[in-house]
Amino acid sequence: MFGGGGPGLRLMRFKGVDVVLDFSVLLLMALFILPQAQSFPRQFPDWSTTEVWSAALLIGAFFVGSILVHELSHAWIGILLGAKVGGIRLFIFGGATYFTSKPSSEARNFWISAAGPIANFALWYLFKLGYEASAYDTVWAVTCYYLSLANLFLGIFNALPGYPMDGGQALRSALIWLTKRELLASKVVMVVGCLTGGLIAFWTIQNVRQGNTLNLLFGGLIAFWVVSGSIAQYREAQRFQPQQPKRPDSPQTTATQAQAPVGIPVGAVMSQPPMAYAPETPVDQFLHHSQNLPLDEKAWLPVLREGYLNGIINRKAARRVSSTEQNVTPIEKVMVPRRNLVVVNADQDISQAYDALRSSQGFPVAVLGAGGLFAGFLTAENLRR
């Protein structure tokens, strides 16, 4: 659903991945519990105080549980389809599942994105059955009724085609899968996402006119988040399109190109690093983990968010952070950002990659697979094999 950070506590582990509960979830529960506790005595005058608070607390707790099921569905389907999950976090605006890598298949990425809303629709149906099977004015019936509506809303809301909501990510993956054109897919998602954000803003204004001022803050933030996210994903795709090799402009360049092997894709000779890290990984955690890898201090490792390259990092660069700051400094603060790297496609002919290596300034050339997902590195050594 949404992404967030900040202090929290570990709620559980799922498939070896930490599920962190942000302390702001307490405020989210309060926003659900208190209004219900105030309205239930008027709706159900025969209820005792215990019944009123039991229903309100159950609704708040199960609502957070519904968000947890949503995020676990992303993680579970992702793991089944070959993705690597870095963490799951719940906070006031919902939750986030962080992937350190995703499958190169956009069809699989579509189902990873769609898993969350599908889980909410399944919960809506289950709670609906629970409500229909219970007496109207019981605590359980009322709890099931409100949770069925809440999950129906979560399912529809997350399926809206605004990036980076699940619907927007699923739409982007589907378009890349069908058209094989990342930039075109990103442009369509940007337009549709801006329209979605505009509709959310319009709905928010209508609610404010009706006196519902609380929705102004949440609706405004969500509309801004959807519009800015939809535009940002297009700019990212536009800015980091794989570099096209330069035309030979000298006899020396022509000779080099003529001697280069042809008919071999870059993906066949590239190297795949043994590990990738999320941008928010603390420097001390990166150093502790990476020292167990069979690599030297200068070996570059990718920094990925949901399979997309943010930059590269090695232990030599990480050690520049003082020991007292390593536990609070994320590696994204010291990594070489993606904008400084040369990028090629995995299906690009190896004969076209020589110019990319010459202009890489000593860094490995980043190789992108389907949909712009990180696939590996290309170095001079790869070409000498």
Side-chain angles (χ1 to χ4, degrees):
M1 189 174 174
F2 295 94
L9 57 90
R10 192 173 78 176
L11 181 65
M12 58 181 286
R13 283 183 68 82
F14 176 77
K15 300 288 187 180
V17 177
D18 286 342
V19 179
V20 177
L21 188 72
D22 193 279
F23 293 133
S24 63
V25 171
L26 299 176
L27 178 57
L28 174 65
M29 293 183 66
L31 292 173
F32 268 79
I33 293 170
L34 296 179
Q36 309 303 339
Q38 292 175 347
S39 64
F40 283 162
R42 296 191 298 272
Q43 297 179 51
F44 308 101
D46 295 334
W47 277 14
S48 65
T49 302
T50 301
E51 289 174 312
V52 168
W53 280 100
S54 295
L57 289 170
L58 283 172
I59 290 172
F62 275 110
F63 180 75
V64 174
S66 298
I67 297 173
L68 175 60
V69 171
H70 176 107
E71 299 303 333
L72 291 178
S73 298
H74 285 309
W76 181 54
I77 296 299
I79 292 171
L80 287 179
L81 297 179
K84 293 181 180 179
V85 181
I88 300 172
R89 191 177 191 92
L90 307 182
F91 74 117
I92 186 171
F93 288 111
T97 301
Y98 300 104
F99 292 94
T100 56
S101 68
K102 278 189 171 182
S104 58
S105 166
E106 290 297 337
R108 293 189 177 192
N109 288 325
F110 170 86
W111 288 112
I112 293 173
S113 299
I118 290 173
N120 287 125
F121 287 130
L123 289 174
W124 159 72
Y125 183 71
L126 291 175
F127 281 119
K128 181 174 176 287
L129 291 178
Y131 167 70
E132 293 173 347
S134 306
Y136 165 71
D137 58 351
T138 62
V139 169
W140 180 242
V142 172
T143 300
C144 287
Y145 174 75
Y146 276 90
L147 289 169
S148 66
L149 293 180
N151 276 283
L152 180 61
F153 170 79
L154 286 175
I156 294 174
F157 176 75
N158 280 284
L160 292 176
Y163 198 92
M165 293 164 65
D166 296 332
Q169 293 191 49
L171 175 62
R172 188 176 189 273
S173 293
L175 290 172
I176 295 174
W177 178 35
L178 294 171
T179 66
K180 312 301 181 188
R181 298 172 62 186
E182 181 188 3
L183 193 60
L184 174 63
S186 299
K187 183 179 294 186
V188 172
V189 170
M190 178 184 65
V191 173
V192 174
C194 288
L195 291 174
T196 301
L199 289 175
I200 294 173
F202 177 77
W203 175 82
T204 300
I205 294 171
Q206 293 300 111
N207 274 267
V208 172
R209 287 179 177 176
Q210 296 171 8
N212 196 346
T213 54
L214 183 61
N215 284 337
L216 177 62
L217 174 62
F218 286 96
L221 286 173
I222 292 170
F224 173 77
W225 181 73
V226 171
V227 171
S228 60
S230 299
I231 295 174
Q233 63 84 32
Y234 172 70
R235 287 179 175 172
E236 183 84 358
Q238 187 180 44
R239 184 175 183 180
F240 296 114
Q241 282 293 293
Q243 175 174 311
Q244 297 299 320
K246 299 176 182 178
R247 283 174 165 260
D249 52 7
S250 68
Q252 181 179 2
T253 304
T254 304
T256 304
Q257 294 285 5
Q259 296 170 6
V262 294
I264 302 174
V266 170
V269 299
M270 70 180 184
S271 57
Q272 294 179 316
M275 188 63 189
Y277 295 88
E280 60 271 10
T281 304
V283 168
D284 63 342
Q285 183 179 327
F286 165 75
L287 289 171
H288 176 74
H289 183 275
S290 62
Q291 69 181 1
N292 297 318
L293 299 175
L295 301 171
D296 61 33
E297 292 279 300
K298 297 181 181 180
W300 294 103
L301 292 165
V303 180
L304 308 180
R305 185 179 295 284
E306 298 190 354
Y308 293 94
L309 184 66
N310 280 36
I312 56 176
I313 183 77
N314 60 19
R315 292 201 296 273
K316 182 179 178 181
R319 293 191 195 283
R320 294 172 186 163
V321 180
S322 65
S323 58
T324 57
E325 298 291 324
Q326 288 179 359
N327 64 329
V328 295
T329 304
I331 59 175
E332 63 182 338
K333 297 294 185 181
V334 293
M335 70 181 183
V336 177
R338 179 177 169 175
R339 63 177 176 270
N340 293 352
L341 303 176
V342 177
V343 178
V344 296
N345 266 328
D347 58 1
Q348 198 168 318
D349 195 279
I350 193 175
S351 63
Q352 301 176 334
Y354 283 78
D355 283 325
L357 277 171
R358 290 192 190 94
S359 59
S360 64
Q361 299 179 339
F363 297 123
V365 172
V367 182
L368 305 185
L373 294 170
F374 176 76
F377 289 139
L378 181 69
T379 64
E381 186 172 338
N382 295 133
L383 301 181
R384 287 196 291 266
R385 293 176 181 174

